[in-house]
Amino acid sequence: MSDTSDTEQTNESWSSQAVDAVEAAVLEVPGVAELYRAKPTLQSAAAAVQRISEQGTPPRVVVDGDVLRVVIGTDGFAPAPQVARAVHDAAFAAARAAGHTLSRVDVRVARVG
């Protein structure tokens, strides 16, 4: 297991491009109709402020150490649990491709259909 300093380093090292890649991967999952802003944590607030200053928009996914939080709305055609699993896999793969190791990806379905 990694210690706290490794977790903080992982959180701080997420670039806007990495967050954008995860968001794009989630939005490409069949059945995802919307990506909502996940509730930021205190640890992710600094990264959110940085992204807002760079791009003018807050991130819709939240990185909290080695945990990624995603909130989606589904289109109502594909079963929500199936879409949530696909979102988990896509977000995990996009994070890995960006060079980040996650302990988990939390996907919440906020709206169906």
Side-chain angles (χ1 to χ4, degrees), residues 26-110:
V26 168
L27 288 169
E28 290 176 6
V29 172
V32 173
E34 184 61 55
L35 177 60
Y36 299 106
R37 280 186 283 168
K39 186 176 180 179
T41 62
L42 186 56
Q43 291 179 343
S44 68
V49 169
Q50 180 181 3
R51 178 177 160 136
I52 291 169
S53 68
E54 290 174 0
Q55 298 181 355
T57 59
R60 293 180 282 180
V61 298
V62 169
V63 180
D64 188 14
D66 60 352
V67 176
L68 180 69
R69 293 195 184 106
V70 182
V71 181
I72 61 169
T74 66
D75 62 11
F77 296 107
Q82 177 182 337
V83 174
R85 280 190 294 277
V87 165
H88 170 276
D89 295 344
F92 198 82
R96 183 179 297 158
H100 297 285
T101 303
L102 298 171
S103 66
R104 71 176 196 260
V105 177
D106 292 338
V107 180
R108 186 173 71 106
V109 177

